[in-house]
Amino acid sequence: MTAGPAFTCVLDARAKLGEGPVWSVDEQALYWVDIKGRALNRFDPATGANRAMALPEEIGCVAPRKGGGFIAGLRSGLWQLDGEGRPVTCLAANPEGQGASRFNDGKTDPAGRYLAGTLDEPKAGGKAHLYRYDRHGLAVLAGGLLTSNGLAFSPDGRTLYHADTPTFTVRRYRYDPATGAISDGEVFFRLEPKDGDRGRPDGAAVDAQGCYWSALYEGGRVARFSPDGGLLSEHPVPARCPTMVAFGGPDLRTLYVTTASAGRPADELERLPQSGGLFAMTVEVPGLPVPPFDPAA
Ligand SMILES: O=C1O[C@H](CS(=O)(=O)O)[C@@H](O)[C@H](O)[C@H]1O
């Protein structure tokens, strides 16, 4: 394992719970959310400008939508948003009810279907699920979860990676690109909870060599894992709680990471004042392009 280059702050956003970065190739801009800040953000790396679009409830994940606007996972369900981030249509209500559940991490599959999971807020019941949304509607892919996270696909689109953060575990499944079905789940890697300060796997992305980049929540770093789950490198982040990574830039060699500040100890925030910011670093191996959500998929 090597100690790799560190991330630097590109936007001192002071987000409460920055999450869900996704690169728009068409716009050459990064969309990202502040879950507890109830905002969809658009960051333009060319100018450094960031535009926050307020939402009426928590937004856990977002993806550009083919034809315009977005699909987003909110507390109440999966919604179509217009180009200004305004909810216009509820595509699928949150089947778990809104009292102790919200949508969390999401990602489009290579065909443009949208996979998104929920978070069981008491973190006790394992009532969270991973869902697939496509033209046939909402379908359960996995259940018994605490925090559905870490969604990413292998370069050939035939392996799905998925984390359940509080269990410190990332699993991988065979993925059928023709139907969006999963099978043959197995542990990809599990971090040691006893090493509490080394964090737990949150949001993720896969690069062109099939390596899995994982934001390690409360670990203050992003780690790169080989296609067989071996730890290759670790990259410090000037925030204790990185939440999700995404590749961007004209060559997909800029790795962005969002971070959290809400609920963090005062001394930690004093030591890491850019917590809640958006960070980036240049990588050698480019990321994989993530397609927009396609309502016809
Ligand atoms: O992605 C997320 O994960 C974190 C970590 S954990 O579930 O608490 O272990 C969670 O706090 C955050 O709200 C969520 O967005």
Side-chain angles (χ1 to χ4, degrees):
M1 187 276 292
T2 62
F7 285 86
T8 57
C9 189
V10 294
L11 179 69
D12 190 6
R14 308 291 168 100
K16 293 178 179 175
L17 181 49
E19 265 278 12
V22 56
W23 182 251
S24 168
V25 173
D26 291 347
E27 298 179 30
Q28 290 294 296
L30 186 82
Y31 286 96
W32 61 279
V33 301
D34 183 348
I35 296 178
K36 292 182 178 177
R38 301 187 176 189
L40 169 61
N41 292 272
R42 182 184 187 274
F43 174 69
D44 180 351
T47 64
N50 186 73
R51 182 160 70 98
M53 295 164 269
L55 281 139
E57 58 182 283
E58 295 104 318
I59 175 171
C61 54
V62 69
R65 177 183 179 274
K66 191 174 180 182
F70 307 90
I71 187 170
L74 308 185
R75 175 172 289 274
S76 61
L78 294 180
W79 283 75
Q80 178 182 340
L81 312 183
D82 68 14
E84 295 303 310
R86 293 179 292 244
V88 289
T89 306
C90 182
L91 302 171
N94 180 350
E96 300 156 21
Q98 305 176 33
S101 164
R102 63 168 168 78
F103 274 92
N104 195 52
D105 181 64
K107 190 142 297 171
T108 47
D109 82 354
R113 304 179 188 92
Y114 196 56
L115 272 62
T118 55
L119 177 146
D120 174 1
E121 285 174 322
K123 296 238 173 25
K127 294 185 176 64
H129 294 76
L130 171 61
Y131 298 94
R132 180 191 66 237
Y133 180 77
D134 61 18
R135 69 181 186 277
H136 304 298
L138 192 72
V140 173
L141 291 181
L145 303 171
L146 294 172
T147 302
S148 182
N149 234 322
L151 287 171
F153 288 90
S154 58
D156 66 2
R158 295 185 176 278
T159 298
L160 170 68
Y161 297 98
H162 179 239
D164 188 4
T165 306
T167 68
F168 294 78
T169 303
V170 177
R171 302 179 69 81
R172 64 182 169 191
Y173 298 88
R174 288 183 190 282
Y175 191 76
D176 180 347
T179 63
I182 67 172
S183 60
D184 302 332
E186 61 179 358
V187 173
F188 178 47
F189 68 79
R190 178 178 287 119
L191 302 181
E192 287 306 317
K194 66 177 173 51
D195 301 343
D197 65 342
R198 298 178 62 77
R200 47 193 187 271
D202 205 313
V206 169
D207 67 24
Q209 287 180 351
C211 292
Y212 183 88
W213 292 78
S214 177
L216 299 184
Y217 192 89
E218 287 196 327
R221 70 204 196 291
V222 169
R224 187 186 188 222
F225 295 87
S226 67
D228 61 11
L231 178 60
L232 296 176
S233 60
E234 294 185 329
H235 306 267
V237 179
R240 183 89 191 282
C241 297
T243 52
M244 184 167 169
V245 288
F247 291 93
D251 57 2
L252 295 180
R253 280 189 170 86
T254 302
L255 187 62
Y256 290 98
V257 64
T258 47
T259 64
S261 66
R264 304 309 304 169
D267 63 327
E268 177 186 302
L269 295 178
E270 196 172 315
R271 182 165 43 82
L272 297 165
Q274 294 173 321
S275 297
L278 178 64
F279 298 83
M281 78 173 183
T282 300
V283 293
E284 286 180 24
V285 178
L288 297 172
V290 178
F293 163 66
D294 182 350

